[in-house]
Amino acid sequence: MSWRTLPRLAAPLLLIALLWEGAVLGFGISPFYLPPLRQVLGAIAALWPAYQSAFLVTLAEATAGFAMGALVGIAGGIAFAHLPRLRRMVLPLFVVSQTVPVIAFGAIVVLWFGNTLAAKAAIAFYLTFFPVTVNTLAGIEAVDPRQVALLRSFGAGSRELLWKLRLPAALPRIFTALRLSAPLALAGAIVGEWFGATQGVGAMLLAALFNEQVVAIWAAILAAAAVGSALFALVALAERALVFWREEL
Amino acid sequence: MTGAAERLDAQLTVAAPPVGRVKLSLNGVARSFGAVRALDRVDLSIAEGEFVTLIGPSGCGKSTLFNILAGLLEPDPGGTLLLDGAPAPSGSLLGRIAFMPQRDLLLPWRTVLDNAILAAEIQGQKKREARELARSMAAEFGLKGFENHYPQQLSGGMRQRVALMRTFLFDREVMLLDEPFGALDALTRALMQRWLLDLWSRYRRTILFITHDIDEAIFLGDRVTVMSARPGRITLDRTIPLPRPRQPSLLTAPEFMALKRELLEAVEEESLKAFAANGP
């Protein structure tokens, strides 16, 4: 990240903080609906180790599921691009799987995996793999046929075509899917925590809700936003390293 | 020969064959797409080290011919295609002829050097060796100092030179160039033509060069062939007796003008036919 990126990110955050504080003071909003920001930040500071570990737990769950989903999605897209028969048979199943809301599966997943990281990762995975599969497939199919012809005239087989042309050419689209599914993976991990987890941002949110601790709810929301930003930043860094050649990012 | 040319030949090419032998020979090569007859019995023979140019109206099947020669397209049964005197069935041509399409088709994620070695790399050459060879040739291709640039940082003329370098490094004795300078402005194009001739005289490849431009065809070629409107066939095969090396002043010489007049008439006739067949 360059020295210009930080102020660019900080400015909108500062604006939101000012609006928050200003609204609470200016309109006299009851702390039940919206507590002042400094109170929320104070609550986080007071219990810093707890928020820190919740952040890390949820980040680990979301990242594990997200990474698995990305791998399976890319591999699936490649397989579907090369095996039209497999695609006709399996892709419809992928589509059908996405029509079931993940929350309906949540209880089953926890029964299967217990109260582990794997359970939350499974839900994050479920939300990630499909958009990545579809975009990998679309990216591979959008490769310029003239480019394929040129490489074939050099004697390239399908393996060389994949590694030297199709996959790199599909990367911009794959990253579009990854950026879209990073927040989904986080939502998946949080939903997973609602089925009896004791650790993580989602568990914290639920506990605060039951105890009607409005300040703690807002603190958990901020922690969730921090996890989402971290995940998004990971994807953005990887994209900058791999798709550096794209004209505008 | 320059050092790089010597190294290229020593490393990749077999001993230089005698000049004048027939390299590539087509006899009655035809191709139809459904009811459309794109190529109609093309007869063409190109000698070792010869520079042959091909002109014809658009849509005359030039690209079909090139795709057949590159091994990307199967000709209709009946005709014969000989490479080095031996029959070459379609699939066997893949990887044997260096093909350069109209667009440069450089890969944006590869540097100039890595784009140039793409074909050599696919042929199984070690990346490091190929890069070293490419680096030593960069100056000759006007790319010195740009080895590690990416294609999107280059001008059109430079991109075209990278594509040509890729074609040269794909060390095949026959090169097919499909309007390589078609997209360049007139000034750059004239420079590139002289530079290509210079390169050709040093590396001595057999070249078949497609163009729309009659001046270009005469200026470059040992022979100019004219293709008819669809279905395409060779209707004129004219030897260009102009001495080499050729200078730009040649373009206004009377003997050049006489050739141009003759060829213009032939091409005009074919264009009119194409226009009557496909026109409004």
Side-chain angles (χ1 to χ4, degrees):
Chain A
M1 235 178 264
S2 75
W3 60 275
R4 297 184 69 115
T5 334
L6 220 55
R8 242 190 319 161
L9 287 174
L13 284 180
L14 203 65
L15 187 67
I16 292 171
L18 283 175
L19 282 175
W20 186 335
E21 280 290 321
V24 170
L25 285 176
F27 301 111
I29 298 173
S30 146
F32 181 77
Y33 294 110
L34 188 64
L37 178 60
R38 60 202 137 78
Q39 216 176 320
V40 176
L41 292 177
I44 294 177
L47 281 171
W48 181 251
Y51 281 100
Q52 198 181 21
S53 86
F55 169 86
L56 288 175
V57 165
T58 305
L59 182 63
E61 293 161 355
T63 309
F66 179 68
M68 275 298 292
L71 279 180
V72 169
I74 292 170
I78 292 171
F80 289 156
H82 285 83
L83 304 164
R85 186 191 286 256
L86 183 78
R87 173 181 173 176
R88 273 195 300 276
M89 275 162 42
V90 182
L91 192 58
L93 293 179
F94 276 35
V95 176
V96 169
S97 79
Q98 296 298 305
T99 61
V100 182
V102 70
I103 197 148
F105 274 137
I108 298 295
V109 171
V110 173
L111 275 181
W112 285 349
F113 292 95
N115 221 327
T116 58
L117 185 144
K120 289 85 170 182
I123 296 174
F125 164 83
Y126 179 87
L127 290 171
T128 308
F129 83 94
F130 183 71
V132 179
T133 307
V134 172
N135 277 281
T136 305
L137 181 60
I140 287 178
E141 304 219 304
V143 171
D144 188 342
R146 290 171 303 184
Q147 217 133 28
V148 175
L150 180 70
L151 263 71
R152 283 186 59 222
S153 86
F154 294 151
S158 57
R159 181 184 298 247
E160 276 137 345
L161 279 175
L162 176 67
W163 287 111
K164 295 198 197 300
L165 178 62
R166 293 203 162 110
L167 207 49
L171 276 180
R173 275 207 134 108
I174 293 175
F175 270 102
T176 303
L178 290 179
R179 267 191 282 162
L180 288 174
S181 45
L184 287 177
L186 171 60
I190 287 177
V191 165
E193 288 173 6
W194 286 350
F195 293 90
T198 52
Q199 284 180 304
V201 172
M204 252 180 170
L205 191 64
L206 212 58
L209 196 61
F210 282 145
N211 299 325
E212 288 189 44
Q213 294 167 315
V214 179
V215 174
I217 294 177
W218 282 101
I221 290 173
L222 285 191
V227 178
S229 313
L231 206 54
F232 196 86
L234 283 178
V235 176
L237 282 179
E239 181 168 14
R240 200 173 290 190
L242 287 172
V243 200
F244 59 90
W245 42 271
R246 222 168 126 199
E247 308 264 324
E248 52 203 70
L249 273 175
Chain B
M1 256 197 211
T2 65
E6 268 161 26
R7 282 179 63 196
L8 183 72
D9 283 356
Q11 254 188 280
L12 305 167
T13 318
V14 210
V19 180
R21 204 167 53 123
V22 173
K23 188 75 202 167
L24 186 68
S25 139
L26 286 86
N27 227 313
V29 170
R31 169 76 199 204
S32 303
F33 297 96
V36 178
R37 198 158 174 76
L39 275 189
D40 186 32
R41 285 175 284 121
V42 169
D43 301 318
L44 180 66
S45 146
I46 303 176
E48 188 99 58
E50 200 175 17
F51 198 135
V52 177
T53 52
L54 178 73
I55 37 181
S58 27
C60 73
K62 288 174 297 198
S63 300
T64 307
L65 178 64
F66 260 39
N67 284 332
I68 288 174
L69 291 174
L72 293 166
L73 197 65
E74 191 110 23
D76 291 342
T80 54
L81 207 171
L82 304 179
L83 182 60
D84 283 323
S90 155
S92 77
L93 284 170
L94 280 175
R96 289 188 63 187
I97 283 181
F99 168 56
M100 176 174 165
Q102 237 162 1
R103 299 255 323 263
D104 58 62
L105 299 177
L106 299 176
L107 303 178
W109 54 86
R110 282 177 167 247
T111 60
V112 163
L113 271 195
D114 285 356
N115 263 294
I117 66 167
L118 180 63
E121 202 184 309
I122 287 171
Q123 285 292 312
Q125 223 196 330
K126 287 240 168 54
K127 231 177 167 165
R128 217 161 46 93
E129 283 170 26
R131 270 205 199 116
E132 210 178 299
L133 181 60
R135 203 184 300 279
S136 70
M137 286 170 74
E140 239 178 324
F141 283 79
L143 295 165
K144 186 127 198 93
F146 292 90
E147 291 93 337
N148 297 319
H149 280 55
Y150 286 90
Q152 49 278 33
Q153 302 171 294
L154 304 180
S155 67
M158 287 184 100
R159 291 176 64 110
Q160 219 57 26
R161 286 201 293 268
V162 179
L164 262 170
M165 185 164 163
R166 180 181 62 196
T167 315
F168 269 88
L169 275 170
F170 181 40
D171 192 34
R172 294 298 176 269
E173 287 156 31
V174 182
M175 293 188 13
L176 298 178
L177 308 180
D178 188 358
E179 286 192 60
F181 309 143
L184 303 178
D185 63 273
L187 205 62
T188 315
R189 175 190 269 231
L191 287 172
M192 294 283 283
Q193 289 167 354
R194 292 212 298 284
W195 169 80
L196 176 65
L197 281 184
D198 189 43
L199 218 58
W200 168 74
S201 66
R202 264 182 281 150
Y203 290 92
R204 274 295 155 180
R205 301 287 165 74
T206 309
I207 295 183
L208 179 59
F209 185 108
I210 288 188
T211 176
H212 268 113
D213 180 340
I214 294 181
D215 282 356
E216 184 170 71
I218 302 171
F219 186 72
L220 294 176
D222 290 321
R223 270 160 63 206
V224 176
T225 53
V226 178
M227 210 165 170
S228 67
R230 198 156 55 198
R233 60 193 302 185
I234 308 288
T235 49
L236 187 78
D237 190 335
R238 181 73 166 85
T239 303
I240 304 297
L242 301 172
R244 291 185 191 273
R246 296 180 182 166
Q247 301 303 326
S249 58
L250 186 68
L251 288 165
T252 47
E255 57 267 38
F256 187 95
M257 286 303 174
L259 281 165
K260 186 172 172 180
R261 190 169 309 123
E262 181 189 335
L263 284 163
L264 257 175
E265 266 167 36
V267 172
E268 190 102 320
E269 201 178 312
E270 292 308 330
S271 298
L272 280 174
K273 271 193 236 161
F275 190 70
N278 312 320

